[in-house]
Amino acid sequence: MTEPTIHPPTGPTTQPPTGPTTQPPTGPTTQPPTGPVTGPATGPATGPTTGPATGEAVDDRTAGQTTDHTPGKERLRRWRLVLGGDPADGTGHALGGRDAAMDGALTALYGNEDVPRAGRDRTAGLGASAPAVARWLGDIRTYFPSSVVQVMQRDAIDRLGLATLLLEPEMLEAVEADVHLVGTLLSLHKAMPETTKETARAVVRKVVEDLEKRLAPRTRAALTGALDRSARTGRPRHRDIDWNRTITANLKHYLPEYRTVVPERLVGYGRASRSVRKEIVLCVDQSGSMAASVVYASVFGAVLASMRSIDTRLVVFDTSVVDLTDRLDDPVDVLFGTQLGGGTDINRALAYCQSRITRPADTVVVLISDLYEGGIRDEMLKRVAAMKAAGVRFVTLLALSDEGAPAYDREHAAALAALDAPAFACTPDLFPEVMAAAIEGRPLPVPDAGR
């Protein structure tokens, strides 16, 4: 008789399996699926399931299991990585080699919950050791794609309180730079030692340059076309005729018997001009929850400022107001001129913006805020109404980011909508189209999720 396994469901096995096997519900065996049981199984308890916290090289005794990608084994492998190797995870799958190292990196971040689940005895973690964190950052960049690395970094900062470690230059050189990391650095830059500030600026500049390469061409193209179309002429060339506006302007000359409109007056697009024709004011909430929006707004502000036909002003606010227009030639300087955190006084910010408007009919004001107003609500709404009555095109963006549906003050959003100033969240890719519509005076492309 062959020897029993450690976790038999009913007793020792007497015959070798002859086909595809399934794992016992109470524990796995480590014997090959096609041969008889020849000795006691060791189970995952002796394997590298809880590997080093930093994901360093581990014993590869079970590496053969990680290369078996049959549907059943692959499914168990994936569930094992998701469930984390608790004794009650039910997969019965031991990890080795690369999979064990990946599991170690995940355990270091997600295996140290404040309230352990039943059966959880994993004790890995990053602690406060800078060398351990540096190794962990290197490991996750090795084992996971960039998008996953960015998520894990944000979770490490939030779950393990690692923000202060970003004050070390070595940490900044190891992290995967993205918009969210820039937001964290901006919130910490006042506390940064001098030895770290230059490294932080280099990280921020890399992210800003990547964003500019992606967003600037489309923004310039969309707004240049909008500026051309917003300039109307009564004697257009044939190719410059705006047929929609021409038909609208001549509906009174409709001839029912011929079912046609006689275009007595043509409306056309004007030609591009080098002179400034539109003024755009970006009024950006710099409270802590708006970090990603501040980053994107700074990049777009720099792009708009580079266009000769647009006079761009960038104003950031919390309970105070700061005009950063003179820094728009370098969005990195703009970002380091912000101070994330603090309260919110939208009314004061709008009062400042209103005082700087010289040509209301040619001005677009873009308020980027979650609308959690700490100032005088009624005064805020009166200012918006006054600007719209003067001819200003007013746009409210609850967020300018890719983070999904934002949290915002729904009462204030509804009040702005009643003033014909709908508030909605906007992705960076949609922003050029929103600005083009605002410049042309046509309906804004409000996403369905923001209505």
Side-chain angles (χ1 to χ4, degrees), residues 48-401:
T49 58
T50 59
T54 60
E56 296 173 306
V58 294
D59 188 352
D60 200 21
R61 290 173 296 174
T62 57
Q65 294 184 14
T66 65
T67 59
D68 185 354
H69 294 298
T70 58
K73 288 287 186 181
E74 180 64 14
R75 188 180 303 113
L76 288 174
R77 169 183 170 271
R78 290 173 178 270
W79 275 113
R80 165 61 184 81
L81 287 169
V82 169
L83 295 174
D86 287 344
D89 72 5
T91 64
H93 189 81
L95 299 177
R98 184 181 179 89
D99 284 350
M102 291 172 62
D103 186 59
L106 291 168
T107 300
L109 177 58
Y110 300 110
N112 222 14
E113 298 179 0
D114 292 336
V115 182
R117 296 196 303 266
R120 179 176 290 275
D121 56 3
R122 305 167 78 183
T123 59
L126 298 178
S129 168
V133 176
R135 288 194 299 271
W136 180 79
L137 288 170
D139 288 341
I140 63 175
R141 294 174 73 173
T142 299
Y143 300 127
F144 302 100
S146 176
S147 57
V148 176
V149 170
Q150 293 171 5
V151 172
M152 293 180 72
Q153 286 178 171
R154 295 201 299 272
D155 286 349
I157 292 171
D158 293 339
R159 292 168 61 94
L160 305 180
L162 299 183
T164 54
L165 289 178
L166 294 178
L167 302 179
E168 300 294 332
E170 296 79 6
M171 293 298 100
L172 290 180
E173 292 171 356
V175 295
E176 186 82 16
D178 67 342
V179 171
H180 305 281
L181 177 65
V182 170
T184 301
L185 292 178
L186 295 180
S187 66
L188 295 172
H189 80 270
K190 295 295 184 183
M192 284 182 180
E194 291 298 325
T195 55
T196 306
K197 287 184 177 179
E198 285 305 313
T199 306
R201 288 185 71 90
V203 171
V204 173
R205 186 169 296 281
K206 178 181 182 300
V207 174
V208 167
E209 289 176 352
D210 290 344
L211 290 176
E212 282 187 307
K213 289 177 183 178
R214 177 167 70 90
L215 301 172
R218 182 180 175 187
T219 302
R220 291 193 180 99
L223 269 64
T224 298
L227 289 166
D228 289 346
R229 291 188 294 270
S230 65
R232 306 295 171 181
T233 178
R235 301 181 63 184
R237 300 178 184 181
H238 184 271
R239 63 182 178 181
D240 294 332
I241 296 175
D242 183 343
W243 289 108
N244 288 334
R245 289 180 178 263
T246 295
I247 291 172
T248 301
N250 290 278
L251 285 176
K252 61 183 178 180
H253 303 304
Y254 178 68
L255 302 179
E257 62 273 24
Y258 295 103
R259 301 180 65 183
T260 190
V261 172
V262 177
E264 289 189 358
R265 182 169 70 88
L266 298 178
V267 179
Y269 303 126
R271 289 294 175 176
S273 170
R274 292 183 179 272
S275 61
V276 174
R277 295 205 310 274
K278 291 292 181 181
E279 297 181 3
I280 295 179
V281 180
L282 299 178
C283 186
V284 186
D285 184 345
Q286 64 174 352
S287 57
S289 60
M290 302 294 293
S293 298
V294 171
V295 176
Y296 283 115
S298 299
V299 172
F300 279 118
V303 173
L304 295 174
S306 69
M307 301 180 66
R308 305 177 78 178
S309 297
I310 297 176
D311 185 10
T312 305
R313 183 176 295 276
L314 177 64
V315 176
V316 298
F317 68 93
D318 42 34
T319 52
S320 59
V321 180
V322 180
D323 194 328
L324 297 176
T325 303
D326 60 345
R327 302 190 188 186
L328 280 175
D329 58 331
D330 187 349
V332 176
D333 282 345
V334 169
L335 288 171
F336 278 96
T338 63
Q339 178 60 60
L340 294 179
T344 307
D345 193 338
I346 302 173
N347 177 56
R348 174 177 291 186
L350 291 181
Y352 177 84
C353 294
Q354 188 178 21
S355 69
R356 296 298 185 271
I357 295 173
T358 58
R359 296 184 295 141
D362 294 320
T363 300
V364 178
V365 174
V366 183
L367 172 64
I368 304 175
S369 173
D370 54 18
L371 301 180
Y372 287 110
E373 170 67 316
I376 306 173
R377 175 185 183 273
D378 291 341
E379 288 296 318
M380 175 190 75
L381 297 176
K382 287 180 181 178
R383 292 191 188 282
V384 174
M387 282 188 276
K388 287 186 61 65
V392 173
R393 190 73 191 272
F394 196 91
V395 180
T396 306
L397 302 181
L398 302 170
L400 178 57
S401 71

